[in-house]
Amino acid sequence: MTAGERPLSGRHALVTGGGRGIGAAIARALLEQGAAVSLLGRDRSTLEAAAREMSALGEVACFTADVADPDAVSAAFTDAAARGAIDILVNNAGQAHSAPFLKTDAKLWRDMLSVNLEGTFHCTQAALPGMLDKGWGRIVNVASTAGLTGYAYVSAYCAAKHGVIGLTRALALELAAKGVTVNAVCPGYTDTDMVRETVANIVQKTARSAEQARAELAAGNPQKRLVAPEEVANAVVWLCLPQSAAMNGQAIAVAGGEVM
Ligand code: NAP
């Protein structure tokens, strides 16, 4: 396939949390489909290292912002839009902190809502006007199976990810006749730093070894394994393709059948 034949050639995609984990896999997959990609995150050195590694695949640039900070998001999106209006927004930046409900203090609660839910709100507000001007856009929110069902000890994260799915569904209807689709992808436990941190947390708080903790997380997936970041990226990119225009308001689990 030549560059001219790639389905996302000429499109500008911004991926929040694009410097590592699932976001980096999404960025690579979008570049492979011909999109120019902007990576956004808090840590410039991580972003620059990822951009260097991805530059062989296509046009990539990086921008720093904390997605929970609306002013920083607005400034970073203005800078990114100098490369061209954003056609594809992947709201992937997220954090998952766990605690029993009565140990979930106001800070943990606010942190989970502000990064996972309000971050999605701020970035979508920044990118949407350009999509509406063009009459074409794709918004994909990386939620979680925790947006579709409950899990013990992550009430704040679950509430935030359920919120992301509610936002996805409402906005999908609001934009349905405007050429912009809004969908969510809901990974199960996926092999990234986030799971490594969860394993370290389990090891610290229980008598389990790292191998046991990882095996327990994998056991919740009917395929008895962790999901690969590239499998999540595959679903995200498929939703961004021109021929996926009828996909709207969906929350698609990528979790080996864990939720259905
Ligand atoms: P990860 O490896 O921990 O990476 C998280 C990414 O988000 C990093 O690029 C990080 O970049 C960025 N980020 C975090 N807080 C941010 C903030 N306040 N502002 C801007 N960027 C921020 O996690 P991951 O596993 O790839 O997770 C990606 C998404 O998938 C998250 O939304 C997560 O909830 C979701 N998810 C993950 C799993 C899983 O098992 N891994 C399962 C279900 C859903 P910086 O640190 O440079 O800012």
Side-chain angles (χ1 to χ4, degrees), residues 147-168:
L148 295 168
T149 188
Y151 293 91
Y153 308 118
V154 281
S155 54
Y157 179 72
C158 264
K161 292 297 193 182
H162 274 69
V164 169
I165 292 178
L167 169 63
T168 301

Side-chain angles (χ1 to χ4, degrees), residues 17-23 40-43 46 65-68 92-95 115-116 142-145 157 161 187-190 192-195 197:
R20 57 193 170 94
I22 292 171
L40 183 140
R42 292 165 303 174
D43 187 65
T46 302
D66 182 332
V67 294
N92 164 80
Q95 294 174 24
V115 174
N116 294 295
V142 180
S144 170
T145 50
Y157 179 72
K161 292 297 193 182
Y189 282 117
T190 303
T192 68
D193 290 346
M194 188 175 276
V195 156
E197 283 159 25

Side-chain angles (χ1 to χ4, degrees), residues 15-78:
V15 183
T16 69
R20 57 193 170 94
I22 292 171
I26 293 168
R28 276 187 219 101
L30 287 166
L31 285 162
E32 282 164 358
Q33 295 302 322
V37 173
S38 293
L39 310 174
L40 183 140
R42 292 165 303 174
D43 187 65
R44 175 158 290 281
S45 61
T46 302
L47 291 170
E48 285 178 348
R52 267 196 303 280
E53 181 254 322
M54 292 175 197
S55 60
L57 299 173
E59 292 169 43
V60 58
C62 44
F63 301 90
T64 50
D66 182 332
V67 294
D69 177 344
D71 294 335
V73 166
S74 174
F77 274 66
T78 301

